[in-house]
């Protein structure tokens, strides 16, 4: 599919030319803007014409922007968007008409991850992939699972439950292909993104009560999430998986505050354990030390 007709400087590949997919989502669109601010040439891969119009309206510097209409299940459209790019920032958000996760959505996300990594392997210029996964890909575990005995959570863990299962299978598919095809990849396992369009229907929140009780209910601000992606891309020493969050919901005050954002008129929808006892504090059992160490000297250069 032909790219959108936007003005664009140059056509050769360079370390400053990257692709962002899905650029129409909250994370993707913010990444596009920040990368442009940092001097990158950006291929913005979007899934609908509405997203294309929104991208044109919100992005200031169109001289370094090229917009592609892609389908994550269409291998050839992915290959076209990647041409000449040195790196890829990849994230998957469910289509607006399929907001919930089920077996079909899981299959779609896994197929998309497979297509994207295979396309990267076939694109000679691609040097690095930043794969956006979720913290639920490592913290949603069945208590009856004999492998769940570890007292704390970090990048070494994997999930085996829904939304987490979908993210887990997609990420494992990406890692398997990256290793088999020799593609350099790092993953960002992000906490719940606190964005204006966040609602109680977000699949991450279906495990909120369990994650809260386990001390692993983590959230992340958009700016920190964007900075983290760019940091792991630019740092040569970055490797493997990175848990990404800057807040832990592990006390009643924070739980109720989040509930008011999601359910303004009705805090009673929360489990009693979240609302009873003003000073209750759940021990934190999740660590993002690996990412924080990498970001010590990172300068985002954006607002």
């Amino acid at each position: 599919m032909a790219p959108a007709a936007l003005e664009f400087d140059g056509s050769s590949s360079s370390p400053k030319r990257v692709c962002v997919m899905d650029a129409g989502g909250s994370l993707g669109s913010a990444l596009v803007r920040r990368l442009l601010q940092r001097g990158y040439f950006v291929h913005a891969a979007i899934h609908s014409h509405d997203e294309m119009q929104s991208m044109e309206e919100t992005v200031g510097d169109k001289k370094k922007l090229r917009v592609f209409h892609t389908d994550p299940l269409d291998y050839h459209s992915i290959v076209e968007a990647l041409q000449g790019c040195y790196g890829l920032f990849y994230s998957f958000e469910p289509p607006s008409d399929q907001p919930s996760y089920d077996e079909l959505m899981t299959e779609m996300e896994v197929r998309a991850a497979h297509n994207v990594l295979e396309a990267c392997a076939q694109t000679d210029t691609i040097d690095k992939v930043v794969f956006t996964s979720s913290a639920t890909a490592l913290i949603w575990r069945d208590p009856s699972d004999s492998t769940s005995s570890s007292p704390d959570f970090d990048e070494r863990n994997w999930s085996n439950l829904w939304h987490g299962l979908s993210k887990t299978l997609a990420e494992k598919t990406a890692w398997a292909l990256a290793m088999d095809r020799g593609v350099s990849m790092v993953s960002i396992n992000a906490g719940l993104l606190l964005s204006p369009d966040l609602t109680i229907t977000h699949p991450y929140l279906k495990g909120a009560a369990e994650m809260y009780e386990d001390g692993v209910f983590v959230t992340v601000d958009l700016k920190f999430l964007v900075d983290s992606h760019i940091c792991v891309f630019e740092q040569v020493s970055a490797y493997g998986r990175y848990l990404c969050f800057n807040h832990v919901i592990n006390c009643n005050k924070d739980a109720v505050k989040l509930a008011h954002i999601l359910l303004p008129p009705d805090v009673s929808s929360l489990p009693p354990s979240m609302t009873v006892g003003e000073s209750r504090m759940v021990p934190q059992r999740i660590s993002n030390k690996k990412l924080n160490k990498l970001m010590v000297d990172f300068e985002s250069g954006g607002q």
Side-chain angles (χ1 to χ4, degrees):
M1 184 173 293
L6 291 181
E7 187 177 0
F8 187 68
D9 268 350
S11 59
S12 62
S13 61
S14 89
K16 280 289 190 176
R17 187 181 301 270
V18 296
C19 179
V20 176
M21 182 186 306
D22 160 28
S26 299
L27 170 61
S29 58
L31 266 170
V32 169
R33 290 192 294 271
R34 189 67 56 80
L35 288 164
L36 289 171
Q37 290 171 5
R38 294 176 74 84
Y40 283 86
F41 293 89
V42 179
H43 288 198
I46 53 88
H47 301 332
S48 72
H49 292 292
D50 289 341
E51 291 176 343
M52 182 179 294
Q53 181 177 357
S54 176
M55 180 70 63
E56 293 177 356
E57 292 173 351
T58 58
V59 172
D61 186 4
K62 296 183 177 66
K63 292 183 178 180
K64 294 184 178 180
L65 174 69
R66 192 174 184 181
V67 181
F68 291 77
H69 186 205
T70 63
D71 179 348
L73 302 183
D74 179 358
Y75 174 81
H76 296 290
S77 70
I78 298 169
V79 169
E80 185 169 2
L82 292 176
Q83 289 303 309
C85 290
Y86 178 81
L88 167 68
F89 294 87
Y90 172 77
S91 62
F92 179 94
E93 295 187 21
S96 57
D97 59 343
Q98 293 179 294
S100 62
Y101 272 81
D102 54 19
E103 187 174 355
L104 179 61
M105 183 57 65
T106 297
E107 180 182 354
M108 182 184 298
E109 186 160 0
V110 171
R111 285 177 58 199
H114 183 280
N115 284 344
V116 168
L117 266 295
E118 185 63 49
C120 287
Q122 299 303 321
T123 304
D124 294 338
T125 56
I126 291 291
D127 188 70
K128 193 171 189 178
V129 175
V130 179
F131 187 96
T132 308
S133 185
S134 171
T136 61
L138 58 92
I139 61 179
W140 267 29
R141 297 189 299 182
D142 186 343
S144 65
D145 185 353
S146 61
T147 64
S148 300
S149 57
S150 176
D152 297 303
F153 294 81
D154 59 22
E155 290 83 1
R156 293 170 292 183
N157 297 107
W158 290 96
S159 174
N160 61 5
L161 298 175
W162 295 109
H163 175 260
L165 177 59
S166 184
K167 294 298 181 184
T168 296
L169 293 176
E171 188 187 339
K172 283 189 171 182
T173 296
W175 278 116
L177 270 168
M179 289 185 285
D180 183 63
R181 304 289 196 271
V183 177
S184 174
M185 185 179 110
V186 292
S187 71
I188 292 288
N189 293 75
L192 176 67
L193 176 58
L194 297 180
S195 61
D197 57 351
L198 178 64
T199 69
I200 193 62
T201 61
H202 194 290
Y204 190 109
L205 290 164
K206 291 184 178 180
E210 292 81 2
M211 289 187 285
Y212 177 83
E213 292 296 332
D214 285 342
V216 296
F217 187 9
V218 292
T219 65
V220 63
D221 296 327
L222 182 58
K223 182 181 184 301
F224 184 76
L225 183 58
V226 169
D227 287 348
S228 299
H229 278 74
I230 297 176
C231 177
V232 301
F233 178 74
E234 294 182 347
Q235 291 285 351
V236 177
S237 60
Y239 69 96
R241 308 168 84 198
Y242 287 88
L243 258 170
C244 179
F245 61 90
N246 55 357
H247 191 65
V248 181
I249 307 293
N250 65 338
C251 68
N252 298 65
K253 179 180 178 181
D254 288 343
V256 172
K257 181 179 179 180
L258 179 61
H260 276 299
I261 296 173
L262 300 170
L263 304 165
D266 185 14
V267 179
S268 64
S269 296
L270 280 172
S273 60
M274 288 192 186
T275 57
V276 176
E278 293 183 0
S279 60
R280 184 171 185 268
M281 177 74 73
V282 178
Q284 178 177 336
R285 295 178 54 227
I286 187 168
S287 171
N288 61 349
K289 292 180 180 178
K290 182 182 176 184
L291 177 62
N292 288 342
K293 183 178 179 181
L294 190 72
M295 293 187 68
V296 168
D297 298 321
F298 177 74
E299 296 181 4
S300 66
Q303 301 298 322

